[in-house]
Amino acid sequence: MRYANISGWGKCLPPAALSNDDLSTFLDTSDDWIYSRTGIRSRRISHVNTSALATVAAQHALAAAGLTADQLDCIILATASADTLVPSAASAIQRNLGASKAAVFDINAACTGFIYGLSVGSALIKAGTMQKVLVIGAERLTHYLDWTQRDTAVLFGDGAGAVILEASDQPVGLIADKLGCDAEASDILAIPNSGTSRERFAHTDGLFEVNFDGKEIFKRAVKGMGEAASHVLAEAKLTGADIDLLLPHQANVRIIETLAKKMAMPSDKVMINIEHYGNTSAATVPIALCDALEQGRIKPGALLLTAAFGAGLTWGAGVIRWGERVTPLQVSDATLPPCEHSALELLASAIKGCLQAKNEA
């Protein structure tokens, strides 16, 4: 039987950090208010497009696997904030990497996107269609934020994470997964008036709003992630006690803690890094994976449980059996172009535009 081993991993975080204190310079908020409700103290603001973040994460993942881009059979990009809708942002990544032999496509499952991509990439390998697949979760959601909306402006950040999947005859990689969607309540977490539903030449041209019903999202996120996680544990004939590390979507520390309690997992078995990055949507799980490896929290043969919930309302979970290697075969020096501005400077025109649009509405 074929399996899809995770042989490489990499992340990319833009250098400009926006702290809670920075947000309080133009929003009615404070570090204590944000941190007590979300667990976030800072988030990154990108000076480049999503594909550029994804490319750097991919270069680090390729190096960790000891591969070159021309060996890739497929590139899957999970994102809700692609550079362009036509063509896919994955095609820009192929060009950037020089992965001319790879099939490419984007997946938009919002915050659950990376788990969807991991499931699809693993299935392609298990079916014998592909041998080496690059799966990336990357977002530049700060581009869409209305910086006058406190409830959402404090939550999101930019970043990317990537993994390489390679065919293996060992029982490793994604050994159980469950994907789903609760579309009846999709309006509670959405960017309305976007895509082809957006009226052209309207006065709102530069302004996007985010529908965000925090209490309802919390309830449905815990239910969706919890049920999916329980399903994959049962499928793999495991319990929470068998799991070495929980790698949840980093949306809100309260959601993570509630999920961990539901899975009966102690805090030392739960990966939390939302404090430093905020919610990077499809990128949270692969970035958390990279951080966990850097911190030595993943050992050879470890069992990992991951779960996520996002707009749509998509949900998913998976059990991953780690392989033998927890260190990169090679290290890439890939990096983003220099950023000469602070996060507040990068956002200055967007903040001004949002304030102006609200005043004129």
Side-chain angles (χ1 to χ4, degrees):
M1 184 173 178
R2 287 164 58 96
Y3 297 90
N5 181 42
I6 298 177
S7 63
W9 52 90
K11 65 180 181 180
C12 177
L13 282 306
L18 185 74
S19 69
N20 292 344
D21 289 334
D22 290 333
L23 285 166
S24 69
T25 64
F26 61 90
L27 282 174
D28 179 18
T29 191
S30 67
D31 177 66
D32 286 343
W33 189 92
I34 297 170
Y35 185 72
S36 64
R37 288 163 174 77
T38 68
I40 302 169
R41 290 203 186 275
S42 182
R43 70 287 294 149
R44 303 297 180 89
I45 307 298
S46 183
H47 62 297
V48 297
N49 281 330
T50 303
S51 64
L53 297 171
T55 298
V56 172
Q59 288 169 314
H60 286 284
L62 283 165
L67 298 178
T68 56
D70 62 356
Q71 294 176 276
L72 292 174
D73 297 307
C74 186
I75 298 171
I76 302 173
L77 172 65
T79 186
S81 53
D83 308 5
T84 57
L85 294 178
V86 181
S88 71
S91 67
I93 298 165
Q94 185 210 50
R95 182 186 63 237
N96 294 344
L97 294 175
S100 59
K101 300 175 185 176
V104 305
F105 58 94
D106 292 357
I107 289 178
N108 181 358
C111 299
T112 321
F114 180 78
I115 296 178
Y116 270 61
L118 195 63
S119 176
V120 172
S122 297
L124 288 170
I125 288 176
K126 291 175 182 178
T129 306
M130 307 283 185
Q131 300 292 321
K132 297 176 175 62
V133 177
L134 168 63
V135 181
I136 312 167
E139 302 284 11
R140 193 189 177 194
L141 282 177
T142 60
H143 176 76
Y144 291 105
L145 294 181
D146 178 350
W147 294 99
T148 68
Q149 287 187 294
R150 181 178 66 174
D151 288 351
T152 51
V154 305
L155 295 179
F156 297 97
D158 303 329
V163 297
I164 300 292
L165 304 178
E166 289 195 68
S168 172
D169 58 1
Q170 299 299 309
V172 293
L174 191 66
I175 60 173
D177 63 295
K178 178 69 173 177
L179 307 176
C181 182
D182 179 16
E184 290 184 3
S186 61
D187 288 346
I188 69 172
L189 178 53
I191 302 178
N193 191 28
S194 61
T196 57
S197 69
R198 190 175 182 84
E199 182 184 350
R200 295 184 69 190
F201 313 116
H203 71 280
T204 58
D205 185 64
L207 181 67
F208 292 90
E209 294 187 355
V210 180
N211 289 351
F212 190 85
D213 184 340
K215 291 183 179 179
E216 189 65 19
I217 290 169
F218 183 99
K219 181 175 70 175
R220 290 177 182 269
V222 170
K223 180 176 183 290
M225 292 167 68
E227 289 180 356
S230 296
H231 179 96
V232 295
L233 285 174
E235 182 182 339
K237 296 180 172 55
L238 300 169
T239 68
D242 298 311
I243 298 299
D244 297 299
L245 189 66
L246 174 64
L247 282 166
H249 168 47
Q250 307 287 310
N252 181 299
V253 72
R254 293 179 178 179
I255 293 176
I256 295 171
E257 290 171 349
T258 304
L259 177 65
K261 185 176 181 180
K262 218 173 172 57
M263 296 293 103
M265 298 194 66
S267 59
D268 63 341
K269 285 190 172 186
V270 183
M271 182 64 197
I272 301 178
N273 63 359
I274 190 174
E275 177 179 355
H276 309 294
Y277 308 133
N279 181 353
T280 57
S281 188
T284 67
V285 170
I287 290 173
L289 174 66
C290 291
D291 281 1
L293 284 160
E294 290 172 6
Q295 296 167 17
R297 299 185 67 181
I298 297 177
K299 307 299 182 184
L303 285 168
L304 314 177
L305 174 64
T306 185
F309 179 91
L313 301 164
T314 63
W315 48 263
V319 174
I320 299 167
R321 187 184 300 277
W322 199 257
E324 289 303 309
R325 186 167 50 79
V326 293
T327 56
L329 289 176
Q330 299 172 19
V331 177
S332 171
D333 60 0
T335 187
L336 294 174
C339 179
E340 299 177 354
H341 301 283
S342 69
L344 278 175
E345 289 170 341
L346 290 172
L347 293 175
S349 62
I351 295 168
K352 181 180 178 181
C354 290
L355 290 170
Q356 182 177 343
K358 287 294 184 182
N359 290 334
E360 292 176 354

